[in-house]
Amino acid sequence: MPKSENQKLKILYVAKYLLKNSDENHEVITSDIIDYLENYCELKAERRSIYRDINTLAQSLDNDNDLGILFIIVFNLLLFNSSIRTLTSKCRLTALM
């Protein structure tokens, strides 16, 4: 059972944070992601769970499999579809934009 309503969406919030705040010239540290999740998404996260989420993201996007395709579809809906954003209003997605 998830610890909070948005807990199952945590991996998507981690991906969003990485996409918005990191690139080849800008690194992100785990504590930044944890702070974002706690302050803007009202989610508790441990360092090890962030590592697992990043590993899962990397594996799903590296492999051309159904999970990776599903992840991309759901993530795009989360970023661009206002009805999905309404469902996840607890996480203030615009806080870091």
Side-chain angles (χ1 to χ4, degrees), residues 56 59-75:
T56 300
Q59 288 178 353
S60 67
L61 295 176
D62 283 345
N63 300 327
D64 189 22
N65 61 26
D66 292 339
L67 178 62
I69 293 167
L70 179 62
F71 169 77
I72 292 168
I73 291 169
V74 171
F75 188 68

Side-chain angles (χ1 to χ4, degrees), residues 36-49:
Y36 167 74
L37 292 172
E38 289 180 358
N39 295 326
Y40 297 104
C41 303
E42 299 176 9
L43 291 172
K44 297 291 182 193
E46 295 180 357
R47 177 183 46 82
R48 291 176 297 174
S49 72

Side-chain angles (χ1 to χ4, degrees), residues 9 12-13 16 73-81 84-85 88 93:
L9 296 174
L12 296 177
Y13 296 137
K16 179 183 186 296
I73 291 169
V74 171
F75 188 68
N76 282 324
L77 286 172
L78 180 65
L79 281 180
F80 302 113
N81 187 324
I84 297 294
R85 272 188 257 139
T88 59
L93 297 175

Side-chain angles (χ1 to χ4, degrees), residues 5-23:
E5 290 179 25
N6 287 340
Q7 195 70 33
K8 289 186 177 184
L9 296 174
K10 180 173 67 82
I11 192 167
L12 296 177
Y13 296 137
V14 169
K16 179 183 186 296
Y17 185 86
L18 291 171
L19 284 172
K20 295 286 184 182
N21 296 289
S22 68
D23 59 29

